[in-house]
Amino acid sequence: ELVLLHPSRREHPVPVLFHVHGGGLIVGSAYDELPALTPFAQRVGAAILAVEYRLAPEHPYPAAIDDVYDGLAWAASHAAELGLDANRIVLHGISAGGGLAAAAALRARDRGGPDVFAQMLLCPMLDARNDSASATQMSGLGAWDRTANDTAWNAYLGVARQHAPADASPAAASDLSNLPPAFIDVGSAETFRDEDIAYATRIWLAGGEAELHVWQGGVHGFHALAPSAALSRDAQEARAQWLTRMLRRGL
């Protein structure tokens, strides 16, 4: 299932945020983040196409990434009839959705399509190993600690977790070259901090393009927990500025 929100006024095909919701791969729906995402999409002049993917443990890997990738491929092939610009599809994901968006970018690269213009990964869940310094440091703290993360990865991958493929755990990818430009955004006080920093670093080392923001004092999902806080406003502004610059490239 895909949920499409279109700008009310448009004369030409518009870029689209292909949105993948959060929820640790075990909860959530395509509708959850649309109220907060809509003003952002309006600002940058984009439509939103949100994907409803199957959840673990009832539907373990590869159900979620299959649904996301198949939805992305469908969107690319039907863009013209939907009034969308097939050349400016931006993968956009939060938390588990950020991990799935990163996995979809890897799968699209490896399968020769569909073309992805850019990827916005907000506090993405990227590494099934869950053994980073920040995961240890934040154990028992915050809205999504190491125990919660273990529970989610076990539900999604089960016994395959220690040998997860890249389209399940993007941090396992041996090659991060030839990926679309990435925006990676994470708080300093959360489980995913170090795996997200490592992912951006590896994109740079592979010759790719990434913009990384580590927001001092930010907890997991701080922008949603306290949207009016100065930190959240600054983060939202940085996201909008980056995406606006990216979309100008596609004109």
Side-chain angles (χ1 to χ4, degrees):
E1 179 182 337
L2 294 166
V3 180
L4 176 63
L5 279 70
H6 233 303
S8 57
R9 296 180 181 178
R10 61 185 189 276
E11 297 179 0
H12 307 287
V14 294
V16 58
L17 302 177
F18 188 86
H19 175 66
V20 193
H21 70 81
L25 300 164
I26 53 178
V27 297
S29 82
Y31 295 90
D32 290 349
E33 291 141 9
L34 295 183
L37 187 57
T38 298
F40 178 82
Q42 290 175 322
R43 174 172 174 175
V44 299
I48 302 169
L49 194 60
V51 59
E52 187 76 69
Y53 57 87
R54 289 169 290 171
L55 300 172
E58 292 83 3
H59 303 284
Y61 171 83
I65 183 57
D66 283 350
D67 292 347
V68 172
Y69 178 78
D70 290 349
L72 177 67
W74 185 90
S77 63
H78 291 79
E81 63 196 74
L82 297 173
L84 307 176
D85 185 348
N87 295 315
R88 292 190 290 169
I89 298 174
V90 178
L91 279 165
H92 179 281
I94 298 173
S95 192
L100 288 167
L106 287 164
R107 189 183 272 196
R109 178 200 65 184
D110 294 343
R111 296 188 179 182
D115 290 336
V116 175
F117 180 74
Q119 50 182 331
M120 294 197 77
L121 313 177
L122 309 184
C123 53
M125 179 179 173
L126 297 172
D127 195 340
R129 292 169 296 187
N130 193 28
D131 61 359
S132 70
S134 59
T136 301
Q137 180 184 28
M138 300 303 298
S139 182
L141 301 172
W144 191 260
D145 76 341
R146 192 177 188 183
T147 299
N149 205 35
D150 269 332
T151 301
W153 280 118
N154 286 337
Y156 187 52
L157 293 172
V159 296
R161 179 176 162 191
Q162 297 306 316
H163 306 285
D167 67 352
S169 173
S174 60
D175 177 15
L176 295 184
S177 64
N178 299 312
L179 290 172
F183 182 96
I184 300 174
D185 179 309
V186 68
S188 71
E190 71 154 290
T191 299
F192 297 145
R193 180 193 67 211
D194 291 345
E195 65 192 64
D196 293 354
I197 293 170
Y199 200 73
T201 301
R202 291 183 58 215
I203 291 174
W204 294 323
L205 290 172
E209 183 177 345
E211 181 165 322
L212 171 67
H213 291 262
V214 181
W215 297 100
Q216 177 57 36
V219 300
H220 186 63
F222 67 89
H223 60 283
L225 295 172
S228 61
L231 191 70
S232 300
R233 295 197 303 269
D234 288 349
Q236 195 77 329
E237 181 66 22
R239 296 164 191 164
Q241 292 282 359
W242 180 84
L243 187 54
T244 298
R245 292 196 304 272
M246 289 298 108
L247 292 175
R248 285 174 181 158
R249 292 186 185 179
L251 295 176

